[in-house]
Amino acid sequence: MVDVNHFRGFRGETRGGKPATAGAQPAILADASPSTARAGHFTNAQIAALFAVLAAIASIPILLYPWPPLGDYINHLSRMHVIATVRSDPDLARFYQIEWQVIPNLTMDLIVPLLQRVMNVYLAGQTYTIMCFVVILSGTMALNRQLYGRWSVLPLIAFPLLYNSVFLVGTMNYLFGIGLSLWALAAWAALRERAMALRLVVSMLFVLALFFCHLFSVGVYALGLFAFELERLRTLRGREPLSSLFQRRPDGRPSPLLDFVACGLPFLPVIPLMLMSPTWGLRWDFNWELNGKLSGLIFVIEVYSHFATFFLAAIVAAAAVWSIRHRALQFHPFGWVLLVVGGVTYFVMPRVMFDTYMADQRLPIALAFMIIACAHLDLRDDFVRRGFATVLVLMLAVRAFEVQSVWHEVSRGTTAFRDSVRQIDRGSKVLVAYADPDNGDNARELWLMHAACLAIIERSALVTNAFTVLGKQVMHVRRNYRDRVDTEDGTPPSVKQLLQPSILSDDDEPPYWANWTADFDYVYVLFTGAEYPNPDPSRLAPVYAGNRFMLYKIATPVADADDLQSDPPALQRFARFHVRRVALGSLQRARAAAAQDAPSVEP
């Protein structure tokens, strides 16, 4: 059965003078004897070897496809390319500039451009993605090691969860932050009974690193630390009089309650960092939604196939029930508190925070890795070991097959898009539009939303939907071109919006595509259907036809001023439009909905 009776510093219940459930006794805040610590059935070398093998298997889809078909991935990768090459590329320098600021979203911006000094940008992106995988799983194992006093193979069960719906959206900085928050929590557990100053300094260093990963990863660490300390305080309260929580301890250490409060000190530097960050200007943009809370939980295990999701969930549930019935599975008391604290936090979190969508729906996947770290499986029985190995291999095989089969199918589209980009002249200006503004709700088409950003890497082009939001990215568009791009991370215009004239009032500002026939050289129309007709043959010359996209070259007809004045409806209808701008519009919401249901390198 699930054993939650032991906590470091206090001996557990005994049966006949022997420790209960020997070999599975939690070590953090517990007395773990050397014999207990050696009761594992895999040596550290065997666990390390198995970790390496499983990490290699999980990385196969990433290695096979230099352009992983993730939602925001190619947009982020194009920014990495600009950071690394803008000083040596005059075309990029004409459009873009890098303005380094204190932004809680910089890990990829700091790592990938450095890697690009010794490899191409695609390989650098693959390396970073695999680094995220390794940091997350090693952090899960390290936390489990601190909770139970020895290395265990059970956290390897988390490998299939590396591919999840949040990963499909392409939140690359946050993913790295999940792994670092796990390591931060493991370090706190390792130093918990050491000097307070050392523990707080190490924690503060992790907080600073997490801040520059992603602001939400700071929150993940804070949540885990709060649950950890809350359980420790609860355990002390159960073993000592209430008054002892307020009294200085005999060894000179501060009172348990003061010690609990001091755990928040490492987070204080986040306040001045946020105040000096342009991200602080986005603080009022938040929105809470009940709809989607259940979907956020499904995001943890779902990728593309509902059947695969159900199959994996059924395997885990059956294995857990069997393990509990045979008293082979333990769950650390910290895990129970984490479930309660995490559940309440998830419910109250808004959907939008700091102009970032899916704020709440990102939390469950981080909690999932922490929860797995809280579990222990007694593997002394040969049948249990064989069963665990079978379940692990089966889960990873199902997930790898699911991802690989879909990515192989999608690769035909990414290859075609790469070929279309090669038809664009270097230094061009590219407008992105949607044939169907309500499309993009298919997880298999998430990659298409930002695919045009490949032109930044391959053709040094200006692309209208590249991420250049003040306070969220360090890449900005130069002043001469700033009114021609989306600087609010909104929704690209539909073809209907481009072609439909509308009258602006005096207070309205024209959208960035208002004068598209003069401001841009090419138009990508995304989410087209079979035999998509040219929406404006007089101005758009087809260049490349893909399965779900079209590339047109803009050919503005020559006309004199008298002609323009005499026939404004025909020749000037594209000049101005009245379209409501949406800071966090259907594009980002489409990413969440979709999650529910190179010349230098040949991808």
Side-chain angles (χ1 to χ4, degrees):
M1 67 181 174
V2 181
D3 182 2
V4 295
N5 294 322
H6 308 286
F7 222 159
R8 188 181 210 172
F10 310 100
R11 294 194 178 275
E13 300 295 333
T14 60
R15 300 190 186 105
K18 295 181 180 180
T21 61
Q25 180 174 323
I28 188 65
L29 299 182
D31 293 324
S33 65
S35 60
T36 297
R38 291 195 298 268
H41 308 285
F42 290 87
T43 66
N44 291 347
Q46 289 173 329
I47 295 175
L50 188 57
F51 178 92
V53 170
L54 295 176
I57 295 174
S59 301
I60 287 176
I62 303 297
L63 294 172
L64 289 179
Y65 302 99
W67 177 6
L70 310 176
D72 295 349
Y73 178 83
I74 198 66
N75 203 325
H76 290 310
L77 196 65
S78 67
R79 185 174 71 256
M80 305 305 108
H81 178 72
V82 173
I83 293 173
T85 63
V86 67
R87 293 184 179 180
S88 58
D89 189 324
D91 288 319
L92 285 178
R94 180 160 56 100
F95 299 132
Y96 299 105
Q97 60 187 4
I98 304 301
E99 300 178 12
W100 291 104
Q101 297 172 303
V102 178
I103 296 177
N105 192 26
L106 291 178
T107 300
M108 193 177 187
D109 303 58
L110 297 174
I111 295 176
V112 174
L114 290 179
L115 295 175
Q116 195 173 343
R117 294 181 180 180
V118 295
M119 59 185 73
N120 65 70
V121 66
Y122 301 102
L123 184 56
Q126 290 171 294
T127 302
Y128 175 82
T129 304
I130 294 174
M131 285 175 58
C132 291
F133 284 0
V134 172
V135 172
I136 290 174
L137 258 298
S138 62
T140 304
M141 295 191 70
L143 179 57
N144 181 269
R145 164 69 175 82
Q146 293 306 319
L147 293 178
Y148 287 98
R150 61 187 175 279
W151 295 106
S152 171
V153 295
L154 181 64
L156 299 179
I157 205 76
F159 263 105
L161 298 184
L162 290 173
Y163 291 94
N164 54 78
S165 294
V166 175
F167 174 71
L168 286 188
V169 175
T171 56
M172 307 308 295
N173 284 324
Y174 176 68
L175 290 173
F176 193 94
I178 290 177
L180 196 59
S181 65
L182 288 163
W183 273 104
L185 200 55
W188 180 270
L191 299 174
R192 188 58 189 86
E193 302 306 316
R194 304 285 293 274
M196 176 186 286
L198 175 63
R199 185 172 72 251
L200 296 181
V201 168
V202 172
S203 181
M204 184 179 65
L205 293 177
F206 270 109
V207 169
L208 293 174
L210 286 167
F211 177 85
F212 290 104
C213 284
H214 200 282
L215 185 61
F216 294 171
S217 62
V218 177
V220 169
Y221 173 47
L223 188 152
L225 184 58
F226 176 74
F228 183 92
E229 289 298 313
L230 195 62
E231 170 56 25
R232 183 176 185 275
L233 200 62
R234 186 197 66 82
T235 304
L236 291 173
R237 170 65 185 88
R239 301 237 175 208
E240 299 178 7
L242 179 62
S243 59
S244 66
L245 299 181
F246 301 90
Q247 298 173 356
R248 191 175 185 87
R249 282 173 280 191
D251 57 4
R253 290 183 298 170
S255 67
L257 190 60
L258 181 60
D259 201 3
F260 175 81
V261 174
C263 297
L265 295 177
F267 295 90
L268 292 180
V270 173
I271 298 176
L273 287 174
M274 284 299 298
L275 291 177
M276 69 176 66
S277 171
T279 306
W280 184 245
L282 307 174
R283 64 190 181 278
W284 301 116
D285 193 351
F286 63 91
N287 180 47
W288 186 90
E289 296 179 17
L290 178 61
N291 184 33
K293 292 291 184 179
L294 178 60
S295 299
L297 300 178
I298 299 175
F299 287 173
V300 172
I301 196 170
E302 184 173 69
V303 182
Y304 295 107
S305 169
H306 293 303
F307 173 78
T309 300
F310 176 80
F311 185 67
L312 289 176
I315 292 176
V316 172
V321 170
W322 185 92
S323 300
I324 293 174
R325 181 180 178 184
H326 290 80
R327 301 186 178 184
L329 181 66
Q330 279 187 278
F331 196 63
H332 201 283
F334 159 59
W336 295 112
V337 179
L338 183 63
L339 279 172
V340 174
V341 174
V344 173
T345 303
Y346 177 61
F347 182 79
V348 302
M349 277 189 67
R351 184 63 43 82
V352 177
M353 289 180 63
F354 289 96
D355 203 15
T356 301
Y357 198 66
M358 289 180 65
D360 57 340
Q361 293 173 326
R362 303 180 191 212
L363 180 60
I365 184 60
L367 292 177
F369 290 109
M370 289 186 181
I371 295 300
I372 290 174
C374 294
H376 175 83
L377 189 65
D378 189 344
L379 296 173
R380 288 176 294 174
D381 186 273
D382 289 339
F383 182 76
V384 176
R385 289 200 297 274
R386 289 194 298 268
F388 174 80
T390 301
V391 170
L392 179 59
V393 171
L394 185 59
M395 290 180 60
L396 191 56
V398 169
R399 181 48 46 88
F401 177 78
E402 176 191 10
V403 173
Q404 171 62 22
S405 60
V406 173
W407 285 17
H408 177 71
E409 176 187 343
V410 171
S411 66
R412 292 193 289 269
T414 58
T415 299
F417 206 99
R418 180 201 61 198
D419 293 339
S420 73
V421 165
R422 292 174 175 172
Q423 309 304 313
I424 297 175
D425 296 330
R426 292 190 65 85
S428 296
K429 300 174 286 295
V430 180
L431 172 65
V432 178
Y434 284 177
D436 182 358
D438 297 325
N439 217 311
D441 57 352
N442 188 330
R444 298 167 187 259
E445 294 183 342
L446 279 172
W447 66 272
L448 189 57
M449 293 180 174
H450 296 279
C453 291
L454 186 66
I456 297 176
I457 300 174
E458 299 288 352
R459 312 307 292 169
S460 299
L462 176 75
V463 179
T464 54
N465 65 341
F467 291 145
T468 57
V469 180
L470 181 65
K472 296 174 67 175
Q473 285 87 31
V474 297
M475 184 178 81
H476 300 141
V477 178
R478 291 194 178 275
R479 186 176 301 277
N480 292 344
Y481 297 95
R482 196 167 297 168
D483 60 350
R484 304 188 193 184
V485 300
D486 178 12
T487 58
E488 299 179 4
D489 196 10
T491 306
S494 66
V495 171
K496 182 178 180 180
Q497 287 175 322
L498 291 181
L499 302 181
Q500 180 179 356
S502 182
I503 300 175
L504 289 169
S505 66
D506 293 338
D507 297 331
D508 289 325
E509 293 184 3
Y512 63 86
W513 65 83
N515 198 28
W516 64 275
T517 56
D519 288 344
F520 300 100
D521 305 305
Y522 295 88
V523 176
Y524 264 115
V525 179
L526 308 182
F527 306 114
T528 58
E531 299 180 358
Y532 180 76
N534 190 331
D536 191 352
S538 65
R539 294 177 182 269
L540 297 177
V543 176
Y544 194 100
N547 182 38
R548 294 286 283 153
F549 68 91
M550 290 288 298
L551 174 63
Y552 297 99
K553 185 175 179 62
I554 299 174
T556 305
V558 178
D560 56 35
D562 293 335
D563 292 336
L564 291 174
Q565 293 176 0
S566 62
D567 193 8
L571 298 180
Q572 294 183 332
R573 59 177 178 167
F574 308 103
R576 296 166 68 86
F577 307 88
H578 177 54
V579 180
R580 182 173 62 90
R581 295 294 300 278
V582 183
L584 283 164
S586 60
L587 173 59
Q588 290 178 312
R589 301 178 188 274
R591 300 174 192 158
Q596 294 182 54
D597 296 69
S600 53
V601 170
E602 287 291 327

